[in-house]
Amino acid sequence: MAQLSFVIIAVLAALILPCILVIIGVIGLNKLQVQEDIDGIWRRQDSDFSKNRKYENDLFKDKTGGTSMLLGIAVPRSGGSMMKAAHLMELQQRMNLSEHVTATVDDITLTYDDVCYNLAGAYQYPCFRMTILDCFSQGGYDFSKFHQDTFQALIVGRAMAVLRPPIINTGLASTVCKASCNVDGQAASIVATLGQKMAGPAGTWESQPRCKGCMDKFVSEADPKVLDAVYKQTLTVFLATVQNIPVASLRGQDIDELVSIALRTALQLNGKSPYTWQMGVNLFPQGYPRPSLVNPNGSYMTDAEVLATVSGTCYAWDEGQAIPPINKYLALAGYSKANTPMQETDAVQNVFLFKTPEAIQTLLKSGTAALHRPGGALNITLDQAKEALSQFKSKFERFFSQGWKDSKHGDVEFTAWSDDVGAGGTTRNMLGDMTMKALPQAIIFFVIVILLSAAFFIRASSPLRESRCLLAFVGAVLVIIGVVASIGMLAFFNIKMNVSMSYTMPFIMVGILCDDMYMLILSVDTTDAGLSPDQRFLKAMRSVGVPITVTSVVNFGVFLTLFVVSDLPAIYDIGVTGMVCTSTTFLMLMVSFSALVYLDLLRRTARRMDCGFCCIKLPHQAQESRTAGEEGCHIAKEAGEVINVSPGLLYRRLYQPMLRSWVGKTLVLVIGAACMIVAVIGLTDIEVGLDLEDLYPANTQPNQFIARRMKYFPVWPAGLNFGQLDYKSPDVQLKMAKAWENVLATPYVAPGATTPLLWTVAFASWGMSSSIPAFSSSLAGSPCSLSNPYTNGMCAEKIHAQYGGPECKATLWENTLGLKHYDQGGFCLPGPMVGINDTKSYCPVYDFATAEDHAACFARWNKHTRQVSLTAPGILMESDGITPKVPIALSKAGGSMLYVYNLYETSDYVQMMKDTRKYMDDDKSMHSWMNGIAYAYWEQYLTIIEFMWSVGAWAAGAGFVISFVFLLLELTASRFGKLGPRIYCSLIGALLIMGVLVTSMLTVWGWMALAKIQLSAFSAMAILFASGFAIEYAVHIVHHFLESQAVTAVERIDYAMRFLFHPTAMAATSSFVSVFVLVFANFRFITKFFFAPLVMVVVVTYFYGAILLPCTLSFMGFLPRLGPNDGLQVITQEESGQAMNRNGAVSDTGTMDTNSSLQVIAQAEPDQAIDQKGQVHVIVEKGSDQPIDQEPADLDRVRVSL
């Protein structure tokens, strides 16, 4: 009945927990999400940078700030220079094709204009993109008829603004100042604007002193309405004159519209864009086209002409009024000022910018969309906007790179890449795909491990009875269920499956945990076969349960250390996963699988068949036949059963001789020392970083793009972020400008950005009075000038004059910080230019009394100009979308105009971050920080080496403490020795375990460095995994060694390895197979950062743990032998041709004295007698001096006399 109860309990234990875990795993796996955000794998979470990112995210909640970027690179397929007209024309066609893609979301079709980033005005002007085509008239490929009309209206408006003063003067000279003026022709500025053919010859009357004095006096004193009347009347007469029609015929008509039509004709604007009609701001002569790649006769511009053109300053459509000149460091491969004029360039890069989903949603429902968007405004959800952006990035990338490796698609290779801002880009899509691609490999690995485990336990001597194939098969399945269920449980911890986890945890954890499963199976073989199955099972569990518990707890402690110490998601997620896997599988093995071990023991005791045929009972035999030459210590029992602790041929012929040979052990120690020396050499030259092309599979378009980019364009966008500052303070505004200029002056920031791109500077300039010479409305770039495409003349004073309300008047502040002057790319001005006669310089600033006043004026600036879009301050707005929330908690600078470049190596990234952060992050006087892709991805390399030393030390410390505590507790609970020796042995044992852990990690790290596998979050995990493997070997071996009752250190380690050799070898084999599967990933990222390091882990930890450690222990005869524990423990083994003498020593005669006794150490059972030395003697009943035959089949039964 007792055994029946055990069977029922075993069956329930074997079934209940796996069923529960399967249910939990299925639910969890259905909820488990894939980590597609590289920040969720790569970026440190506790650094100041991450805290600032969190600060930003908390402010904006689910909103995305900034812009999204897509990069496209063009390279001639046959090599050579890209600066050929035919190549650039091919580029124009590809860009035009790409910009005509559409996205359809829920039957709503959006165009490129709906999602692109537009600096000058959505729908009214083309989307912003940076391309070297802007050097040529072909850069106007994206100016539609509507865009042309908008541009022509801008030019007409500017012309009318220029004509207004002379037309008013013409009217005054003919009327109120007629007596003082001798009108002898048209005003000179009218002729200069319209030409003599249309306006007639210029007169000299404007320079007549009396005439000029009269006009100036009238203009200064007259009411603006009077001047408007004079302007309208004179303009009507002028229009009638140039068109040679009666004035009366123009009455009742829209004079402004008629003048606009006349000016378009006179200026030859019809059908023109800024690329075919230069505005005369920075490109001259006005009205002429930019250089064309195609000559009038249809031939192409020569290569020399192309190079000469791009060597000059090239502008976007606004000719540098707000958008900086084309940044050639970004656009042309190999560009530097020293190479100007350029001789050739092998590649060109194009930058395309997209709005964020929130900005897309806002634009589509705006008044701008209602007025200018074909089809009018739209109301879409944020999810629809995200989907649209995702589609656009994917389609744009696909269209731009179409045929990238097919010469049939032209002479130029096009590749593209998009970031992950706002919606998934190239990297996000790759991470999702690669994470899921690990699944088929994991399944293959699982099948291999299951079959391999079953094969390990085939017994050729008795394949039907003694084999335990089905038990090992089910054991491997249970381990896999435990690991897979643990991964599914991650969903309940809100942890996403990332690529590093998918390519490590299923493979490594199964490999590690199968070791414990193998030990549980083999543990029964060490027990007395004469005992009942229940007693044998309990003794087996006592012998391996503690070391398995110790290894599980130590592994848990190491994973806990990774979780607590690391702030890299890739590592601390592994820590969480490892803790869950270790705990779950420990329970699975000790509860469910141990029950199966018990049931299998019943099967073998009842002589039933393996492999599922347990209903078939084999016929009784006195003794199972055994393979020839198999030797071991066999002690027969009453029923003829044997205890078989033979470790096998490999152990006896190779491993055991090594342990017993001084030469063999010395050789192992020398090899171990050599491994460490090689590792130390590697550790002296640690490379950090991750080659970006490694992130993408070979022979794919993204991989080719990254290879091209890192060769030609090692450039990334960057930005300056400012926290909650007193933005209304002039001192703060100037300090922000100084930080901006300091950052721009660092060697890794690409030239081209100017201080007016800082929003506080542009805002203050907008508020300056036009009465100040430097801000006069007559200057094309002045905020008060009608020709300014970003303000249309709506500066603060004009808005105040037209609408009233706050005056929003900026002031001048002395330049005490050494800020740059306007002619150096700055914004400060010499005193005389602002009406102050001294040698100092002054800068525009705002000096508001309250934050609310500041916000009100910002709202006006935002509403009436496009400068906010241009400077992209990234400020959180009120519900009206134009008024900042006060206090302003965050603002940004740089937007799409600031780039860091020359970033070829990881050391360049590290130095760039140090240089730029010195003026932002490290300045504790204001809350500010640098931001951008380069900072987010490469920040970990600032401290990763120090981090590895730190986390390695913590892991080693955790391994030592936990090992010491559990060894001491286990030895104490089993009543081994006295307290002093127990503590001493536990201390030495824990030090040895820690030593194996540390040397394994250092060796793997050093070997990786020599193999040029850079240190990164991914490769770091392999180093840390070495601790788990090392502990699995070291704890078991040290534990068995300390409990051995043999006399010498060699015999004690021999005792330990007799049992451990097989399971450790099996574990190493299954682990190697698990890692080897990764070689078929066909992805260099996996083979370089996972396969190669993990192979090192398996080899190094097995060598240190299962070979070097036993050899080291064999020299530790100074460790005291502790008292006995429960259970049968064999401490000697017959050798071929040897026999035991009276004292237990092996003699060379091959005979055993009749009076000699083979001593077997045992804890006394209740019915056993024990001598004074605590030894039970096994009396061998043989004839005097009779030799012991080598063939086990000839051995007589040996009876235990107790």
Side-chain angles (χ1 to χ4, degrees):
M1 288 297 294
Q3 189 175 76
L4 179 60
S5 299
F6 272 150
V7 171
I8 294 173
I9 294 172
V11 171
L12 292 176
L15 293 177
I16 293 176
L17 185 58
C19 292
I20 293 174
L21 288 179
V22 167
I23 294 171
I24 293 175
V26 170
I27 295 173
L29 290 174
N30 284 330
K31 292 184 177 181
L32 187 64
Q33 295 179 320
V34 173
Q35 179 59 272
E36 297 176 337
D37 184 2
I38 192 68
D39 277 4
I41 304 172
W42 199 253
R43 179 166 55 85
R44 293 179 56 202
Q45 301 299 300
D46 293 335
S47 66
D48 290 339
F49 176 78
S50 289
K51 291 175 182 176
N52 286 324
R53 288 282 290 263
K54 183 178 185 302
Y55 173 81
E56 178 182 353
N57 293 336
D58 290 343
L59 285 173
F60 285 88
K61 306 300 181 186
D62 295 328
K63 296 181 180 179
T64 307
T67 58
S68 183
M69 178 180 66
L70 185 143
L71 303 172
I73 294 177
V75 179
R77 294 186 192 276
S78 58
S81 177
M82 183 66 193
M83 290 298 100
K84 297 180 180 293
H87 292 341
L88 295 178
M89 289 299 296
E90 195 172 335
L91 171 62
Q92 183 210 44
Q93 295 168 9
R94 185 58 61 96
M95 293 179 68
N96 194 32
L97 172 70
S98 302
E99 292 177 17
H100 280 83
V101 300
T102 61
T104 301
V105 181
D106 297 333
D107 297 326
I108 301 173
T109 300
L110 302 182
T111 66
Y112 180 53
D113 283 333
D114 292 322
V115 300
C116 74
Y117 184 63
N118 199 312
L119 293 170
Y123 307 114
Q124 301 170 69
Y125 290 97
C127 302
F128 172 81
R129 76 284 181 280
M130 191 210 68
T131 174
I132 202 64
L133 287 175
D134 280 344
C135 298
F136 307 92
S137 62
Q138 280 72 24
Y141 68 90
D142 51 357
F143 258 81
S144 66
K145 178 63 168 59
F146 181 74
H147 297 150
Q148 291 176 4
D149 291 342
T150 306
F151 164 73
Q152 293 161 20
L154 174 69
I155 298 301
V156 168
R158 189 175 73 172
M160 294 179 71
V162 171
L163 292 174
R164 179 182 172 89
I167 286 178
I168 290 176
N169 286 340
T170 299
L172 295 177
S174 302
T175 54
V176 296
C177 295
K178 185 176 182 179
S180 302
C181 300
N182 179 21
V183 180
D184 56 353
Q186 290 288 359
S189 56
I190 294 178
V191 177
T193 302
L194 301 179
Q196 185 173 337
K197 182 177 180 181
M198 179 178 182
T204 61
W205 51 272
E206 290 176 290
S207 61
Q208 297 169 9
R210 289 183 60 206
C211 181
K212 186 175 185 306
C214 176
M215 292 185 296
D216 289 346
K217 184 176 184 298
F218 187 90
V219 169
S220 63
E221 296 176 353
D223 186 279
K225 293 181 180 180
V226 174
L227 294 177
D228 287 343
V230 172
Y231 171 70
K232 288 286 186 182
Q233 183 177 357
T234 308
L235 184 63
T236 302
V237 173
F238 172 76
L239 183 61
T241 301
V242 298
Q243 292 190 343
N244 196 25
I245 58 175
V247 174
S249 64
L250 299 177
R251 289 173 183 164
Q253 297 192 45
D254 188 341
I255 299 300
D256 288 339
E257 178 61 24
L258 294 174
V259 171
S260 174
I261 294 173
L263 287 175
R264 287 173 191 260
T265 302
L267 297 174
Q268 298 181 341
L269 277 171
N270 291 318
K272 299 296 178 64
S273 74
Y275 295 89
T276 53
W277 200 96
Q278 295 175 158
M279 293 185 286
V281 177
N282 281 308
L283 296 178
F284 302 95
Q286 184 186 62
Y288 280 67
R290 301 186 187 191
S292 176
L293 291 167
V294 182
N295 296 318
N297 62 3
S299 63
Y300 283 139
M301 181 185 280
T302 67
D303 296 353
E305 291 172 330
V306 172
L307 286 167
T309 301
V310 300
S311 294
T313 303
C314 300
Y315 297 93
W317 70 267
D318 75 337
E319 294 188 15
Q321 294 182 77
I323 303 174
I326 303 305
N327 192 323
K328 295 177 184 175
Y329 294 96
L330 276 68
L332 300 175
Y335 174 79
S336 70
K337 290 183 179 180
N339 294 338
T340 304
M342 298 193 67
Q343 300 303 311
E344 68 172 8
T345 184
D346 297 335
V348 298
Q349 180 172 245
N350 308 275
V351 179
F352 305 90
L353 297 180
F354 296 92
K355 291 183 176 69
T356 62
E358 295 80 11
I360 294 172
Q361 183 187 36
T362 301
L363 171 65
L364 288 173
K365 65 181 181 182
S366 68
T368 300
L371 287 173
H372 303 297
R373 180 183 183 275
L378 286 173
N379 282 316
I380 64 172
T381 66
L382 188 59
D383 287 339
Q384 288 173 326
K386 288 181 179 179
E387 175 61 24
L389 178 58
S390 178
Q391 284 190 33
F392 261 102
K393 287 203 250 188
S394 177
K395 286 186 176 181
F396 204 107
E397 182 178 328
R398 186 170 68 252
F399 272 74
F400 189 88
S401 61
Q402 186 176 16
W404 67 276
K405 60 178 179 180
D406 187 353
S407 59
K408 294 179 181 179
H409 286 77
D411 297 328
V412 179
E413 171 201 283
F414 296 98
T415 54
W417 175 93
S418 61
D419 66 17
D420 294 332
V421 175
T426 308
T427 302
R428 184 184 292 262
N429 294 335
M430 179 277 297
L431 288 174
D433 291 342
M434 292 312 303
T435 301
M436 296 309 297
K437 282 183 179 180
L439 180 60
Q441 290 172 297
I443 293 174
I444 293 171
F445 160 64
F446 292 158
V447 172
I448 292 174
V449 167
I450 291 170
L451 297 178
L452 191 62
S453 297
F456 282 154
F457 290 92
I458 295 176
R459 293 294 178 264
S461 61
S462 181
L464 295 178
R465 178 191 168 199
E466 292 300 323
S467 293
R468 283 165 282 185
C469 301
L470 183 60
L471 178 63
F473 183 97
V474 176
V477 170
L478 291 180
V479 169
I480 292 168
I481 288 174
V483 172
V484 173
S486 299
I487 293 173
M489 290 180 196
L490 297 180
F492 302 109
F493 295 96
N494 293 321
I495 295 176
K496 297 180 180 180
M497 170 66 77
N498 61 55
V499 65
S500 61
M501 293 164 59
S502 66
Y503 279 97
T504 56
M505 298 308 289
F507 304 91
I508 297 305
M509 294 308 296
V510 169
I512 290 177
L513 296 169
C514 275
D515 179 33
D516 293 336
M517 185 264 291
Y518 299 146
M519 288 191 180
L520 282 170
I521 295 176
L522 294 172
S523 64
V524 178
D525 293 347
T526 65
T527 61
D528 185 347
L531 299 175
S532 69
D534 297 350
Q535 291 174 316
R536 293 186 67 186
F537 174 72
L538 292 175
K539 287 181 178 293
M541 291 302 101
R542 288 175 61 185
S543 67
V544 298
V546 172
I548 288 176
T549 302
V550 173
T551 57
S552 298
V553 172
V554 174
N555 276 328
F556 185 92
V558 171
F559 284 122
L560 177 62
T561 301
L562 300 185
F563 171 71
V564 173
V565 175
S566 175
D567 65 344
L568 275 174
I571 293 179
Y572 68 66
D573 283 351
I574 289 290
V576 174
T577 310
M579 287 189 288
V580 176
C581 278
T582 302
S583 304
T584 302
T585 313
F586 173 77
L587 290 175
M588 180 76 88
L589 291 176
M590 299 305 291
V591 176
S592 299
F593 185 66
S594 62
L596 292 175
V597 171
Y598 172 71
L599 295 175
D600 184 74
L601 179 59
L602 294 179
R603 173 192 67 79
R604 289 197 295 150
T605 303
R607 312 185 64 81
R608 295 186 181 277
M609 294 179 62
D610 189 24
C611 303
F613 301 105
C614 58
C615 59
I616 302 175
K617 189 173 183 179
L618 294 172
H620 179 79
Q621 294 181 3
Q623 189 174 352
E624 296 291 340
S625 63
R626 302 175 62 238
T627 59
E630 183 179 357
E631 301 174 6
C633 179
H634 302 282
I635 304 178
K637 299 301 172 185
E638 290 80 346
E641 302 300 336
V642 297
I643 301 173
N644 185 357
V645 291
S646 174
L649 186 64
L650 185 62
Y651 179 85
R652 293 194 312 277
R653 296 292 175 86
L654 182 62
Y655 194 90
Q656 189 182 56
M658 176 196 70
L659 290 178
R660 294 179 178 273
S661 168
W662 277 84
V663 175
K665 290 185 290 188
T666 302
L667 180 61
V668 168
L669 294 177
V670 169
I671 294 173
C675 290
M676 273 303 301
I677 292 172
V678 171
V680 169
I681 294 172
L683 290 172
T684 60
D685 185 22
I686 301 171
E687 292 185 24
V688 300
L690 177 69
D691 294 334
L692 285 180
E693 56 263 39
D694 288 335
L695 275 175
Y696 303 93
N699 298 318
T700 62
Q701 189 275 139
N703 178 276
Q704 181 77 342
F705 169 86
I706 292 296
R708 299 294 192 194
R709 179 171 173 79
M710 297 311 296
K711 180 179 180 180
Y712 298 120
F713 303 103
V715 184
W716 294 105
L720 285 71
N721 285 11
F722 299 93
Q724 187 169 323
L725 308 176
D726 186 9
Y727 290 98
K728 61 183 176 58
S729 166
D731 290 331
V732 169
Q733 295 165 38
L734 295 182
K735 194 170 183 179
M736 290 171 61
K738 186 62 177 177
W740 168 275
E741 292 184 355
N742 284 337
V743 168
L744 263 60
T746 58
Y748 286 99
V749 174
T754 58
T755 311
L757 288 174
L758 180 64
W759 73 270
T760 51
V761 171
F763 183 31
S765 299
W766 169 79
M768 294 303 298
S769 171
S770 61
S771 62
I772 297 175
F775 298 94
S776 171
S777 59
S778 61
L779 299 176
S782 168
C784 293
S785 171
L786 287 173
S787 63
N788 187 319
Y790 298 95
T791 64
N792 290 325
M794 298 299 284
C795 59
E797 68 176 29
K798 288 191 176 181
I799 295 173
H800 174 69
Q802 185 171 346
Y803 299 105
E807 192 173 2
C808 300
K809 186 175 183 180
T811 187
L812 294 167
W813 210 259
E814 184 180 344
N815 181 10
T816 59
L817 299 180
L819 294 165
K820 290 182 179 180
H821 287 190
Y822 75 100
D823 56 350
Q824 301 169 322
F827 73 111
C828 298
L829 301 144
M833 290 190 67
V834 292
I836 302 175
N837 293 320
D838 60 21
T839 58
K840 299 178 182 178
S841 64
Y842 298 86
C843 313
V845 295
Y846 268 119
D847 188 10
F848 289 104
T850 66
E852 287 72 22
D853 293 341
H854 181 267
C857 288
F858 185 99
R860 285 199 153 197
W861 181 51
N862 195 359
K863 180 178 180 180
H864 294 284
T865 77
R866 301 187 181 105
Q867 287 184 309
V868 176
S869 296
L870 176 68
T871 58
I875 296 173
L876 191 63
M877 299 294 176
E878 297 285 0
S879 57
D880 61 5
I882 60 173
T883 305
K885 289 187 175 182
V886 293
I888 296 175
L890 175 69
S891 73
K892 302 180 180 181
S896 58
M897 304 299 176
L898 187 66
Y899 294 85
V900 286
Y901 75 137
N902 287 340
L903 303 173
Y904 292 97
E905 305 289 342
T906 301
S907 58
D908 295 325
Y909 286 92
V910 170
Q911 191 59 48
M912 177 275 296
M913 286 187 278
K914 291 179 178 178
D915 289 347
T916 54
R917 284 180 168 180
K918 179 168 65 174
Y919 303 108
M920 292 289 289
D921 306 56
D922 299 341
D923 184 358
K924 302 307 178 184
S925 64
M926 67 176 180
H927 184 195
S928 58
W929 65 96
M930 296 299 301
N931 193 24
I933 293 175
Y935 296 89
Y937 289 4
W938 276 270
E939 192 207 21
Q940 62 168 292
Y941 301 123
L942 288 170
T943 57
I944 192 168
I945 294 179
E946 293 81 1
F947 162 77
M948 282 304 299
W949 288 114
S950 173
V951 75
W954 278 101
F960 170 78
V961 172
I962 297 172
S963 298
F964 173 76
V965 171
F966 269 82
L967 285 174
L968 181 60
L969 291 177
E970 197 278 331
L971 293 174
T972 301
S974 299
R975 299 189 298 278
F976 275 99
K978 296 182 179 180
L979 179 61
R982 284 200 302 266
I983 294 176
Y984 177 61
C985 289
S986 298
L987 179 62
I988 298 298
L991 286 173
L992 288 170
I993 292 168
M994 182 182 73
V996 173
L997 185 153
V998 171
T999 53
S1000 296
M1001 293 175 66
L1002 291 178
T1003 302
V1004 170
W1005 191 0
W1007 287 12
M1008 284 170 51
L1010 288 175
K1012 300 301 179 183
I1013 300 173
Q1014 302 98 314
L1015 181 61
S1016 69
F1018 299 115
S1019 55
M1021 285 184 295
I1023 300 171
L1024 299 173
F1025 270 129
S1027 63
F1029 277 88
I1031 286 168
E1032 280 294 321
Y1033 299 128
V1035 169
H1036 285 291
I1037 291 172
V1038 169
H1039 174 263
H1040 279 74
F1041 177 85
L1042 293 179
E1043 290 195 345
S1044 172
Q1045 300 303 302
V1047 177
T1048 67
V1050 173
E1051 290 171 341
R1052 295 174 73 180
I1053 193 60
D1054 187 24
Y1055 156 74
M1057 295 311 297
R1058 285 176 191 280
F1059 170 60
L1060 295 173
F1061 179 76
H1062 270 168
T1064 54
M1066 291 175 184
T1069 303
S1070 62
S1071 298
F1072 184 82
V1073 170
S1074 71
V1075 173
F1076 189 75
V1077 172
L1078 298 178
V1079 79
F1080 301 105
N1082 195 28
F1083 184 8
R1084 188 167 183 263
F1085 171 65
I1086 301 301
T1087 56
K1088 179 178 180 180
F1089 290 98
F1090 293 109
F1091 169 70
L1094 291 176
V1095 166
M1096 296 179 191
V1097 168
V1098 173
V1099 173
V1100 167
T1101 55
Y1102 183 74
F1103 173 76
Y1104 282 144
I1107 299 177
L1108 184 61
L1109 176 61
C1111 290
T1112 303
L1113 285 168
S1114 70
F1115 289 105
M1116 293 191 171
F1118 57 85
L1119 286 177
R1121 185 177 62 175
L1122 302 176
N1125 69 341
D1126 292 344
L1128 187 64
Q1129 304 229 15
V1130 180
I1131 64 170
T1132 58
Q1133 177 177 3
E1134 288 186 292
E1135 298 294 334
S1136 177
Q1138 295 177 334
M1140 297 288 187
N1141 64 17
R1142 184 182 304 275
N1143 296 319
V1146 179
S1147 69
D1148 297 329
T1149 63
T1151 63
M1152 179 180 285
D1153 191 298
T1154 307
N1155 297 322
S1156 66
S1157 58
L1158 178 64
Q1159 294 183 337
V1160 180
I1161 307 303
Q1163 180 72 31
E1165 296 294 335
D1167 57 346
Q1168 291 176 333
I1170 187 165
D1171 69 7
Q1172 293 180 353
K1173 295 183 179 180
Q1175 296 177 338
V1176 178
H1177 297 274
V1178 180
I1179 308 301
V1180 182
E1181 296 181 346
K1182 293 289 290 183
S1184 177
D1185 298 327
Q1186 182 176 347
I1188 298 177
D1189 196 287
Q1190 294 183 15
E1191 291 297 330
D1194 295 335
L1195 286 175
D1196 290 342
R1197 288 195 304 169
V1198 180
R1199 184 172 66 252
V1200 179
S1201 298
L1202 298 174

